[in-house]
Amino acid sequence: MNPTPPPTVVLVPGLRDHVPDHWQTALAARLPDAVTVPPLTDARVSRAAQVTALNDVLSGIEGPVVLVAHSAGVLTTVHWAARHHRPVRGAVLATPPDFDAPLPDGHPGPETLRDNGWLPTPRTPLPFPSVVAASTNDPLAAFDRVAELARAWGSDLVDLGPVGHLNPAAGYGDWPQAMDILRRFGCAVPSAPEASA
């Protein structure tokens, strides 16, 4: 009898460029078999292009996967799940933005999001287990709105406390709790590095 192989971790970033000090980058470095959906250079704000990029990565992976999405990558994941069918062992959905509410300056506005297929945000249960990790002071989404999305998606909700948008701008270049959540889905993850004296 062959044991079930550990799932491949697939990192789904938001609409940002590659950020060396982002927690997803640190996670990818710790998990050498992880695969990251590459950031788009053209049609970056297109929901269809983001979903296609995720589907292309998943099509190249055999065996189980666990999705680890951040920000708009969460919404990419949810839109992908509404259109595609593939076994997914679980998903970590960290600090999804609330595209149904106006975002701060420097982010796409409601009309741009609607024109690019992001709205309405899917609110149907996901076909795989998931954990939504929410911040109590995220500038891109109120905690109660994220909690509503978690309920609609059938996700467990983890209250991260006041971590902003869980990104380098909020002081988070590493997120050790992601490793604990990945273990829930059967991922083979190394122990956290020991603090140096």
Side-chain angles (χ1 to χ4, degrees):
M1 178 186 255
N2 291 336
T4 304
T8 299
V9 172
V10 177
L11 300 156
V12 188
L15 302 180
R16 63 179 166 77
D17 287 323
H18 174 77
V19 179
D21 55 349
H22 194 281
W23 65 265
Q24 283 182 311
T25 307
L27 189 60
R30 281 201 193 111
L31 304 173
D33 294 330
V35 178
T36 301
V37 177
L40 298 179
T41 54
D42 295 324
R44 179 174 300 186
V45 80
S46 165
R47 188 260 317 144
Q50 293 286 349
V51 168
T52 297
L54 172 56
N55 196 56
D56 288 349
V57 166
L58 291 173
S59 296
I61 298 172
E62 290 187 30
V65 297
V66 170
L67 305 173
V68 179
H70 176 250
S71 191
V74 172
L75 300 181
T76 298
T77 299
V78 173
H79 278 283
W80 172 85
R83 290 162 178 76
H84 299 278
H85 303 284
R86 182 216 199 282
V88 173
R89 187 171 293 173
V92 180
L93 307 173
T95 59
D98 181 3
F99 279 178
D100 294 312
L103 299 174
D105 288 345
H107 297 278
E111 187 173 320
T112 299
L113 293 169
R114 192 171 19 266
D115 290 349
N116 281 279
W118 293 101
L119 299 173
T121 299
R123 293 177 186 273
T124 54
L126 294 171
F128 43 78
S130 57
V131 173
V132 170
S135 171
T136 57
N137 67 342
D138 189 340
L140 301 184
F143 183 85
D144 61 336
R145 297 281 290 178
V146 175
E148 287 173 21
L149 290 173
R151 278 191 297 277
W153 297 335
S155 304
D156 292 341
L157 179 66
V158 174
D159 180 345
L160 298 176
V163 298
H165 195 54
L166 194 64
N167 60 5
Y172 289 87
D174 195 13
W175 181 40
Q177 193 173 359
M179 303 293 257
D180 296 332
I181 298 171
L182 285 173
R183 285 185 189 96
R184 286 175 58 171
F185 296 124
C187 295
V189 296
S191 300
E194 304 247 347
S196 54

